[in-house]
Amino acid sequence: MSRNSENIEVVVLGGGYGGVKAANRLARRAGVSVTLVNPRPDFVERIRLHQLVTGSDDAVEDFGEVLGRSVRLVVDTAILIAHAERRVSLAGGGTLTYDHLVYAVGSGASAPGVPGAAEFAHAVADLDGARRLRSTLAETPATAPVTVVGAGLTGVETAAELAEAGRQVTLVCGGVLGPSLHARGRRPVARRLAALGVRVLEGAGTRVTEVTRDAVRLADGRDVTGAVTVWTAGFRVPDLAARSGLSTDAHGRLVTDPTLTSVDDDRIVAAGDAGVISGRPFRMSCQAAVQLGTGAADTILRRIAGKSPAPVRLLFAGQCLSLGREEGVTQFSYPDDRVNALHLSGRPAAGVKEIACRSTLRQLVAGARKAGSRAVREDGSGPRRNVPA
């Protein structure tokens, strides 16, 4: 049981999709006080950051819209978790104590590890990086070539968005185009990029070995010139868990059991990109994060009630790509996230992607409105079905 049965303090580290979902669900339990710590005062719609780059969306929402009024928001960054003392140290000098902690610090752009990339390439994986890229593009002639490195979903969406806005774009894959897609799903992606005028470079020889101010060098020796380089290859998680002496995997993610509980401390649960279930890695995505947020909250609620938490089951529907504002591709998958040959393309798929983005935000807004109600039973066994965003 918690130290104070009258008032249980829960601290949520991170205000992304998973953290907000968990905070709102926990705040609906009477006797639970929830504090959410986030480095900025606004909620970032990461799945719209490629739109921010070209100005079709600002990719931010006021926390007042997505966070329940009973949740306390602390704009700061956690720098250390003293889990033996159940205390979090903040960059601003303050500390927070907790009975339970949700580790939802998310992910950001990975360090490229390629000479010149840190100095000359732009990232689009976080709000600050996307804003800097937008500013740089505004100062760059519209006819100047742009190089996008990385052909995962972020790279493909960014390349298409820029090309539709009139930019001359080269997409350097470093391997295959859309590696998470089924081979049949890649075909309409390639067709749309070609129609937008995107030059796509695929194959092992297209791995980037160096970035300069006006070019990238490939493993096969070619130089690809570009006034702006955008780096979208890979994500990394903050090293907070490792610095705090908690078990992490090779990527720095907090290692948990199937109930999302840290293998080191049953007062700590993970939600989102920064956690990993031991032996069951899942794809970093908004679709996973919203489900993990619910699961993390329910694990804590069951523990508060003195019951054993249930393993969290993730259900996936597929992957949605926007290829500019007019077209897209929806890649369907099995519930375990294995892709299949089914896909949707063109305008209908663009509509599906927009519905997915809007419905995800609506989920958070609905959760904020419910926060403070008693709709969730004390053991967290209220409506438990996780519906993919």
Side-chain angles (χ1 to χ4, degrees), residues 247-259:
S247 295
T248 59
D249 70 357
H251 302 288
R253 295 176 293 186
L254 179 71
V255 178
T256 77
D257 68 14
T259 72

Side-chain angles (χ1 to χ4, degrees), residues 277-288:
I277 299 174
S278 181
R280 284 175 50 198
F282 46 82
R283 180 170 52 87
M284 291 181 176
S285 65
C286 165
Q287 189 173 173

Side-chain angles (χ1 to χ4, degrees), residues 241-325:
R243 282 190 284 110
S244 301
L246 296 165
S247 295
T248 59
D249 70 357
H251 302 288
R253 295 176 293 186
L254 179 71
V255 178
T256 77
D257 68 14
T259 72
L260 305 181
T261 303
S262 165
V263 296
D264 303 306
D265 190 334
D266 64 8
R267 300 285 181 148
I268 300 176
V269 300
D273 292 352
V276 62
I277 299 174
S278 181
R280 284 175 50 198
F282 46 82
R283 180 170 52 87
M284 291 181 176
S285 65
C286 165
Q287 189 173 173
V290 293
Q291 299 181 76
L292 292 166
T294 299
D298 287 352
T299 287
I300 290 174
L301 290 169
R302 290 186 68 86
R303 282 212 166 89
I304 289 172
K307 298 186 177 184
S308 297
V312 172
R313 182 187 178 196
L314 298 181
L315 300 176
F316 294 89
Q319 304 168 39
C320 299
L321 293 83
S322 61
L323 299 173
R325 297 297 86 213

Side-chain angles (χ1 to χ4, degrees), residues 31-106:
V32 173
S33 296
V34 181
T35 298
L36 185 142
V37 180
N38 196 63
R40 61 177 63 254
D42 298 306
F43 174 76
V44 178
E45 286 192 85
R46 286 188 63 183
I47 52 180
R48 290 195 186 275
L49 285 174
H50 60 288
Q51 291 182 246
L52 184 155
V53 172
T54 57
S56 64
D57 199 283
D58 64 6
V60 295
E61 193 71 41
D62 192 296
F63 267 122
E65 294 295 319
V66 301
L67 204 59
R69 286 176 294 178
S70 59
V71 178
R72 176 190 175 205
L73 174 64
V74 174
V75 181
D76 209 329
T77 302
I79 57 173
L80 189 70
I81 303 168
H83 51 97
E85 293 81 27
R86 297 184 215 157
R87 185 178 69 248
V88 177
S89 298
L90 304 177
T95 60
L96 295 171
T97 58
Y98 63 85
D99 294 299
H100 298 273
L101 182 139
V102 179
Y103 188 80
V105 294

